[in-house]
Amino acid sequence: MFKIISAIIIVTFVWGYLWVPTKIGLGYISPFFFTALRLFTGALPLFLIQILRQKDWIPAKRDWKKLITMSLFMCLGYYGLSTFGMQYVNSGLASVLVYTMPIIVSALAHFFLQERLTVNKIIGLFIGLAGLLVIIGPQWSDMEGSHTLFGELTIILAAFFWACANIYSKKTFSGYDTLKMTFWQMLIGGLMLGLFTILALVL
């Protein structure tokens, strides 16, 4: 139990601090290129681990469409939009907004995973939504904060895509090699975002 609790605490600190260097990095590099580099950096060790495990790492032909869809949800939708939105929002607020994802997952799971909403879940959803309105409410009436509001809504949209990725993963990749899926998801997403960055520079 001690090891589990320690691991949770460490992960919490690592994930929490992640938003700080991301915000710093956005001062020097465009958000989509930053995200592409982040995905490539994460994909490389996963590939090496897969090779060391002597596991098959090339997807079957039938899996490509699913992997591309997963990349669109998770890498472009979540990673790309959340990083883009952070240009207009401080790192602490961004980390709070993006974790509206569990609220969205609960609602989506009711319709797509047959995980019915109980009374307790519904109460929790309304409490979460009330907290969300408290956070973003002041920007609705503050025209000077329009850029901040845009950033907040972008990050909430990123949370929606993260939720979609979770639902899609549970429906589609049950029993699939997790490392293999994550590697290809990150590699495909990195390539997409890298291409998008190049096109943006050219055009």
Side-chain angles (χ1 to χ4, degrees), residues 89 93-101 132 135-136 152 155-156 159:
V89 179
L93 180 57
S95 65
V96 172
L97 291 174
V98 83
Y99 283 103
T100 56
M101 180 274 291
L132 181 61
I135 293 173
I136 68 173
E152 290 174 346
I155 292 173
I156 293 171

Side-chain angles (χ1 to χ4, degrees), residues 15-31 34-35 38 82-95 147-148 151-152 155:
W15 280 358
Y17 185 72
L18 173 66
W19 298 90
V20 176
T22 300
K23 184 68 174 179
I24 295 172
L26 288 175
Y28 302 93
I29 191 171
S30 68
F34 182 94
T35 307
R38 177 182 172 185
S82 62
T83 307
F84 180 82
M86 278 192 69
Q87 295 176 108
Y88 311 102
V89 179
N90 65 61
S91 58
L93 180 57
S95 65
H147 285 91
T148 301
E152 290 174 346
I155 292 173

Side-chain angles (χ1 to χ4, degrees), residues 30-71:
S30 68
F32 294 129
F33 187 50
F34 182 94
T35 307
L37 292 177
R38 177 182 172 185
L39 292 170
F40 286 137
T41 303
L44 179 59
L46 292 179
F47 173 73
L48 296 176
I49 292 172
Q50 194 74 349
I51 295 298
L52 290 174
R53 292 171 67 213
Q54 297 183 339
K55 297 288 186 177
D56 175 42
W57 59 277
I58 300 178
K61 185 177 180 180
R62 65 179 181 276
D63 295 333
W64 282 105
K65 183 178 179 180
K66 295 185 291 186
L67 289 167
I68 292 172
T69 302
M70 189 66 185
S71 296

Side-chain angles (χ1 to χ4, degrees), residues 120-134:
N120 287 339
K121 285 183 179 180
I122 293 173
I123 293 173
L125 287 176
F126 276 107
I127 292 173
L129 290 173
L132 181 61
L133 291 175
V134 169

Side-chain angles (χ1 to χ4, degrees), residues 133-189:
L133 291 175
V134 169
I135 293 173
I136 68 173
Q139 272 66 245
W140 288 103
S141 58
D142 180 11
M143 292 306 294
E144 293 182 358
S146 59
H147 285 91
T148 301
L149 178 60
F150 172 74
E152 290 174 346
L153 293 177
T154 301
I155 292 173
I156 293 171
L157 180 60
F160 170 77
F161 281 115
W162 187 9
C164 290
N166 284 349
I167 298 294
Y168 186 77
S169 175
K170 191 167 185 177
K171 284 182 66 71
T172 309
F173 288 99
S174 179
Y176 199 84
D177 187 327
T178 304
L179 283 180
K180 180 179 177 180
M181 179 202 72
T182 307
F183 161 68
W184 281 105
Q185 163 198 304
M186 296 176 78
L187 181 61
I188 294 170

